[in-house]
Amino acid sequence: MTHSIYWESINLQPDVLQIVQKIIKENPFLVQIFKKADTYEEAKNRLRRWITEYADQHPAIATYLRNSNSGSLDRLSWQEIAVIRLMDYVENEGKSFTDPNLNGAMVTNWPVKHLWLAIRYGKGNAKRAFFLDMLYLFRQFNGKLGQNKPSKEKVLRWMSRYSSGLDEKVVKERKHNKDRIIRKIIQNIDLGLQKSRRFQFRPGMNFEEKYRMVSSWWNDYRFHLSFAIRHPDMLNEMLGNSLSEKTMKRLYEARKKGIPLFVNPYYLSLLSENCDFQAPVADKVLRDYVFPSQKLIDSFGHIVAWEKEDIMRPGEPNAAGWLLPAYHNIHRRYPDVAIFIPDTTGRACAGLCASCQRMYDFQNGHFNFNLKKLQPRMSWPEKMHLLMDYFEKDTQLRDILITGGDAFMNSDESLKQILDAVLTMAVRKKEKNKNRKDGEKYAEIVRIRLGTRIPVYLPQRVTDSLIQILSDFRRKAGEAGIRQFVVQTHIESAMEITPETQKAVQKLIRAGWVVTNQQVFITAASLRGHTVRLRQVLNDIGILPYYTFSVKGFMENHYNFTPNARAVQELAEEKVYGRIPENLQNLLKTVHEKEICVPEVINKIRQQAGIPFVATDRNLMNLPGVGKSLGFRTIGITADGRRILCFKYDKNRRHSPIVKNNEEVIIIESKSIAKYLRQLESMGQNIREYQSVWGYSLSETESLSAVYLYPEYDFKVTERFTHLQPGAKTESFDKEEKNVSILVSQEYNN
């Protein structure tokens, strides 16, 4: 069958034809296959036969295809990985997919057709990025592209490129930045440009007195929230008028579109007037994380939810099958864990991250920086009681993540109220279990997590009074049977780890909480050695890495998106040097014990294992509907070179039965590898150091580190599910349970 499509008659551009000629010259077997084929269908069938013959002679391929989640990937050669990608390209040739990056337009996977048209006729509409990807695919097969994993010594050299915010030269630079900002704030107060009822000068004060007063205010987190920069002009002035005309134009446009600007003075002091990416105080990651990109600005107002579970309709299950209260306070994907977002100032943050997963909600006002508007209303305690009732009546829930926004943006009073309510609920649940038989008992709450970026954005918020609340809760909840207490922070770069951050983290650890980190693998953070350097400095101050996330979203996050192939490359070639030996896993788990000094445990493991950092995190993508995974195969590629990935859910953890029925998710990446490498080159990178990234086309999800496993119960938990979509197929989802779910849904959604 021939396909009559208009682009079949388009002549390829000269620069594209040069790449095609390289493919022809380096792969005579491919020329034989395609030149002898008079039609596209014949070419596809010839290629399929060649792949089949090769696979028959390499049993590791068949083993992997049968058991793609059982570690069989490690037994594949670099060449065999290339053949599997070719196999997947042929098998998925001609399939069409919805591409949210193109506002839901359909794209069709034609890798074989594009290649055949180019080799046979020099025609087609495939772009340079497509043919570069194909060139390196065949080089992976013919041996011209080796894997060539770097040595530990080379990785250490890459790590040494990056300063941390604890380095003396960086601390000195930031003292200079702080001085500049304080002087500007004094000027703005005198001119009436910045006002605060709480923070005012006394009449008759001279400049030196005002300077000392603002310097003392600097230690008060409320000062930083009151004097946060919300306008592009003031931002530029605070940065010594160093922002380019292009950046200012973009900031004005973002403001016009309704994208908030909110940078507090402390975090602003981490940004240098010097924008040289290669400078010792380079802050490219920080800038890209707080300044909106042009793609984000263009997309704002039309951003669609990446997290399908976040789309909730009263009385209807979410994408993972969970029935939730109709208040937008609980998000849920897994049986074991629920995300709790209070109706308090905890819905705000101390700064806006440009790649925020809540950007979709910023469009409709669910999240904002109007702290007065976000103050809890009189109805909140009553609503919270209903939400606690939901948790208490759930048979499988054992882990609650209190977030927002930011958990530490709650006032002390609100946070104490929330934690007390959670503790009271957990105790009731435990007491009611005493009357249930073994095998019918509900899962009890064993882990509480607080999601926050405060140690980075505003470490002054970690006050003695906040620490007292956390310490008291740790003691009381521990006595009640809750065994793991985690502050889950979000640090992007070692340059964000300052003496103030270190002090805040030390206080949290002394309060009995384990501090973990999740990094978003934006382009500027994906440079060789950057993330392993971050892990090292996190360890130095007592933080355990938890997740390294691929950027979610569609074209709004195009600028910051790093192709998943780079996440796999980082895992295989850099992170590998922080693997913890099996014999030290039990030592790692002791960090949850009350009197244990976490930094000492981390250092002991590093010393005994001879590793520069502990890699307790997993490289993952948060997938719509099915959760976190990095288990994928590259099944296609668009004409402009963006890879089409088929993900499978992570079988290392429990999922809702609904997810198990929909285990595959197709992701069309928003950026080609060719464009990603050009972006790195513009940042001064030697892209030859990244060449093997082209070959990482499939992956398996890492197992969870032992430190993040739930503690075992001394009883058997019921297999029944509550709050699950009626009719969901589970082994024990009987008629009685179905009725319970319907009643619970009606109770919370009326």
Side-chain angles (χ1 to χ4, degrees), residues 121 507 537:
Y121 303 111
K507 291 166 74 172
V537 182

Side-chain angles (χ1 to χ4, degrees), residues 472-542:
D472 289 346
F473 176 79
R474 170 70 172 84
R475 176 180 51 80
K476 292 184 291 186
E479 292 170 355
I482 298 176
R483 296 165 62 184
Q484 296 179 350
F485 303 84
V486 180
V487 172
Q488 195 163 296
T489 191
H490 177 178
I491 302 174
E492 278 295 294
S493 168
M495 286 289 283
E496 290 185 318
I497 300 175
T498 64
E500 293 89 344
T501 297
Q502 183 178 30
K503 181 180 177 181
V505 170
Q506 288 172 342
K507 291 166 74 172
L508 293 168
I509 292 172
R510 284 198 297 269
W513 291 69
V514 174
V515 183
T516 66
N517 188 67
Q518 56 186 37
Q519 180 205 23
V520 179
F521 203 51
I522 67 171
T523 301
S526 73
L527 309 188
R528 281 291 204 181
H530 180 277
T531 293
V532 282
R533 172 63 170 151
L534 172 61
R535 293 185 184 104
Q536 182 184 50
V537 182
L538 289 171
N539 291 167
D540 289 345
I541 67 170

Side-chain angles (χ1 to χ4, degrees), residues 374-388:
L374 292 174
Q375 289 286 345
R377 300 172 182 171
M378 292 298 292
S379 60
W380 168 238
E382 181 180 352
K383 183 192 288 188
M384 186 161 62
H385 173 76
L386 290 173
L387 297 170
M388 292 303 116

Side-chain angles (χ1 to χ4, degrees), residues 380-448:
W380 168 238
E382 181 180 352
K383 183 192 288 188
M384 186 161 62
H385 173 76
L386 290 173
L387 297 170
M388 292 303 116
D389 199 42
Y390 176 91
F391 293 149
E392 184 181 337
K393 291 180 178 178
D394 195 276
T395 58
Q396 304 299 320
L397 186 68
R398 65 194 71 196
D399 178 0
I400 297 176
L401 170 57
I402 301 167
T403 180
D406 192 303
F408 285 177
M409 282 294 287
N410 285 289
S411 67
D412 287 352
E413 180 183 0
S414 290
L415 185 59
K416 184 178 184 303
Q417 185 184 61
I418 292 163
L419 291 173
D420 286 346
V422 169
L423 177 56
T424 301
M425 174 276 299
V427 170
R428 283 200 310 265
K429 196 171 188 180
K430 191 178 182 73
E431 285 297 312
K432 289 183 179 180
N433 251 357
K434 293 178 180 178
N435 299 320
R436 298 186 179 112
K437 297 178 182 178
D438 205 41
E440 296 179 4
K441 294 180 184 292
Y442 288 12
E444 296 172 0
I445 305 300
V446 294
R447 180 187 293 168
I448 298 296

